[in-house]
């Protein structure tokens, strides 16, 4: 059975044409699937019973099984663990901060890039998600969230630019006015620095926002924690980022995971300013969250000092406040266990990256 969430409006049209149904049916069904987010074909009461049955035979509407749900009693941040039809697991997180409601979603099961501070990296790459599976995360979250999302970020498991086609297709489905109707400008694709993907986004003039995870401000340090930096060196990455801005006029957000004693010195801050100063951008500082003793977050004072050093030096750089969702931007670097409330089934171990980050 096919996942109907994977079908574009055109593909649905073809399906109905081949089934001898009028074209407008495709639109009705598309709206039911994405706009109304029906979870069962029985809910499509504008269709005949026979057609509903046919659809139910040919397609699935939901393919996830929720395995776990953890909600912070402090700020309602909700982390979800789903099982996919093939048994693999992915995470998504709903983050509330003031008026913002951010859905943090995954693009792959695991990740091949092996960043040393990242739990997803330890899983290795298991497979790419389909566009339908990416979209389903949002639909599942919408049902649970206290308010509709204001931002959708590809900062869960995986490297979105290594699953480019499905990620862009999913983002388009999410943005489609006939469907989920979510603002393109509020969808952020976060990359560890896959240069060909960044170039492609610029060439295709993709309307989505781009975030680039720098995490170190010199090549040597970056390579130590991000093996991908060997393939795509920092100098070339910054060049690609500059060209991206030239072409799209869209500001990149540079993410910088702050690790005590590794990349939090005054010199690191100076370097960060140096490499970003010519590119209109934002900088997002994220104190690392890891259970690995090798990677601990600097003290709040050190984080503040680093923030100041970056903020004071360059007019064009803004540093997002590290309170609120930013400190948890990577999904899974959520709160300590004493902040957690278990509201669903037993936890199935630490099998997903987000959760231990
Ligand atoms: N693969 C993409 C998107 C997913 S990771 C990327 O790397 O950008 C999303 C963000 O979480 C990245 O900025 C990454 O550097 C950050 N991150 C990963 N592990 C982290 C950890 N343990 N603590 C804090 N941030 C982390
Ligand atoms: Fe992959 Fe991003 Fe984690 Fe690096 S930080 S291992 S690129 S998910």
């Amino acid at each position: 059975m096919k996942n109907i969430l994977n079908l574009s409006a055109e593909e649905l049209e073809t399906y109905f044409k081949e089934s001898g149904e009028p074209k407008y049916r495709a639109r009705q069904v598309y709206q039911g699937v994405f706009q109304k987010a029906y979870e069962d074909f029985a809910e499509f009461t504008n269709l005949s019973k026979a057609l509903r049955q046919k659809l139910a035979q040919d397609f699935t509407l939901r393919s996830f099984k929720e395995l776990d749900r953890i909600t912070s009693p402090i700020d309602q941040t909700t982390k979800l663990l789903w099982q996919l039809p093939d048994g693999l697991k992915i995470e998504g997180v709903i983050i509330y901060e003031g008026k913002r409601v951010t859905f943090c979603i995954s693009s792959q099961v695991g990740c091949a890039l092996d960043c040393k501070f990242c739990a997803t990296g330890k899983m290795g790459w298991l497979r790419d998600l389909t566009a339908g599976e990416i979209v389903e995360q949002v639909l599942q979250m919408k049902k649970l969230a206290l308010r509709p999302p204001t931002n959708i970020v590809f900062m869960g498991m995986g490297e979105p630019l290594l699953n480019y086609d499905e990620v862009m297709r999913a983002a388009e489905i999410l943005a489609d006015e006939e469907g989920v109707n979510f603002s393109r400008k509020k969808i952020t694709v976060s990359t560890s620095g896959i240069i060909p993907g960044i170039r492609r986004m610029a060439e295709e003039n993709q309307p989505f926002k781009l975030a680039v995870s720098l995490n170190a401000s010199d090549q040597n340090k970056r390579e130590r924690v991000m093996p991908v930096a060997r393939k795509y060196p920092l100098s070339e990455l910054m060049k690609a980022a500059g060209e991206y801005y030239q072409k799209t006029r869209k500001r990149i957000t540079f993410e910088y995971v702050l690790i005590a004693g590794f990349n939090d010195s005054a010199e690191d801050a100076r370097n960060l300013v140096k490499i970003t100063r010519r590119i209109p951008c934002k900088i997002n500082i994220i104190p690392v969250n890891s259970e690995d003793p090798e990677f601990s977050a600097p003290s709040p004072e050190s984080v503040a000092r680093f923030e100041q050093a970056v903020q004071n030096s360059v007019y064009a750089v803004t540093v997002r406040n590290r309170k609120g969702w930013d400190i948890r931007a990577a999904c899974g670097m959520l709160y300590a266990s004493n902040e957690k409330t278990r509201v669903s089934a037993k936890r199935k171990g630490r099998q997903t990256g987000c959760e231990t980050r």
Side-chain angles (χ1 to χ4, degrees):
M1 256 203 295
K2 281 188 178 164
N3 179 357
I4 203 164
L5 300 179
N6 258 329
L7 263 54
S8 66
E10 294 75 47
E11 285 164 336
L12 258 188
E13 258 177 38
T14 311
Y15 169 84
F16 281 105
K17 214 163 131 197
E18 283 167 2
S19 317
E21 291 283 340
K23 204 171 154 187
Y24 68 85
R25 286 273 179 249
R27 198 176 150 152
Q28 281 179 325
V29 171
Y30 189 83
Q31 286 176 348
V33 171
F34 294 109
Q35 204 176 71
K36 305 202 169 67
Y38 291 150
E39 297 195 301
D40 195 306
F41 287 109
E43 292 178 78
F44 290 75
T45 46
N46 52 354
L47 306 178
S48 71
K49 208 166 164 204
L51 186 54
R52 277 182 255 163
Q53 273 166 357
K54 180 175 160 47
L55 286 169
Q57 267 162 19
D58 291 345
F59 298 110
T60 56
L61 255 175
R62 292 289 177 272
S63 65
F64 293 5
K65 186 172 156 208
E66 190 181 302
L67 291 183
D68 201 0
R69 188 192 306 174
I70 303 164
T71 299
S72 158
I74 294 169
D75 59 10
Q76 306 308 307
T77 296
T78 299
K79 189 163 59 163
L80 295 147
L81 179 69
W82 295 291
Q83 186 167 46
L84 305 173
D86 57 3
L88 296 176
K89 291 163 194 157
I90 55 165
E91 274 201 5
V93 186
I94 306 170
I95 300 149
Y96 303 94
E97 192 213 8
K99 289 202 175 107
R100 285 166 77 109
V101 180
T102 302
F103 287 5
C104 177
I105 57 175
S106 298
S107 57
Q108 300 180 311
V109 188
C111 181
L113 299 181
D114 197 24
C115 300
K116 300 303 170 201
F117 46 80
C118 170
T120 303
K122 297 203 169 50
M123 296 170 67
W125 173 87
L126 298 175
R127 74 168 169 89
D128 289 345
L129 293 179
T130 63
E133 288 167 333
I134 294 170
V135 172
E136 180 161 349
Q137 296 173 61
V138 173
L139 298 182
Q140 297 275 6
M141 287 174 167
K142 270 183 96 167
K143 218 181 94 199
L144 297 173
L146 303 173
R147 297 190 301 282
T150 58
N151 299 77
I152 296 176
V153 298
F154 282 91
M155 292 185 189
M157 294 163 69
E159 168 51 55
L161 294 188
L162 290 182
N163 185 17
Y164 190 97
D165 291 337
E166 295 299 297
V167 163
M168 294 304 161
R169 208 156 73 78
E172 266 313 317
I173 293 174
L174 292 172
D176 189 348
E177 288 77 6
E178 294 266 318
V180 184
N181 193 18
F182 193 81
S183 166
R184 289 177 177 79
K185 287 187 228 141
K186 302 283 183 178
I187 298 178
T188 301
V189 175
S190 172
T191 180
S192 57
I194 306 296
I195 295 177
I198 296 173
R199 294 227 167 96
R200 189 166 163 200
M201 273 184 83
E203 271 154 30
E204 294 175 354
N205 213 356
Q206 289 290 353
F208 314 112
K209 269 168 63 176
L210 177 64
V212 175
S213 305
L214 285 182
N215 302 340
S217 53
D218 69 69
Q219 175 65 14
N220 194 322
K221 278 192 189 178
R222 198 159 185 271
E223 269 185 25
R224 273 165 58 196
V225 286
M226 299 181 77
V228 68
R230 277 181 230 134
K231 188 160 184 193
Y232 300 117
L234 188 58
S235 54
E236 284 172 36
L237 176 60
M238 297 316 289
K239 197 167 152 247
E243 286 163 6
Y244 174 92
Y245 180 79
Q246 290 306 324
K247 192 140 195 188
T248 64
R249 295 283 149 188
K250 282 204 265 290
R251 270 174 199 239
I252 291 178
T253 298
F254 289 112
E255 289 159 283
Y256 192 94
V257 171
L258 207 58
I259 301 165
F262 173 69
N263 63 0
D264 62 342
S265 70
E267 195 192 345
D268 292 310
R270 269 197 304 278
N271 277 340
L272 182 57
V273 168
K274 206 162 101 192
I275 63 172
T276 55
R277 66 155 39 109
R278 279 191 204 90
I279 306 171
C281 64
K282 288 184 198 159
I283 291 182
N284 211 355
I285 293 164
I286 315 166
V288 72
N289 186 317
S290 172
E291 284 168 359
D292 185 339
E294 221 184 304
F295 301 109
S296 55
S299 66
E301 296 73 39
S302 302
V303 176
R305 216 175 304 128
F306 192 88
E307 265 188 31
Q308 277 298 311
V310 179
Q311 205 155 29
N312 286 343
S313 308
V314 185
Y315 168 74
V317 178
T318 58
V319 182
R320 293 277 314 266
N321 194 317
R322 66 193 159 72
K323 292 193 198 83
W325 83 266
D326 285 307
I327 58 163
R328 314 182 192 102
C331 287
M333 38 173 157
L334 296 178
Y335 25 4
S337 55
N338 61 352
E339 293 178 47
K340 289 174 189 166
T341 310
R342 190 171 309 183
V343 293
S344 75
K346 282 193 209 97
R347 302 192 71 166
K348 300 280 191 246
R350 299 194 167 275
Q351 300 188 10
T352 64
C354 281
E355 103 172 13
T356 48
R357 270 194 213 154

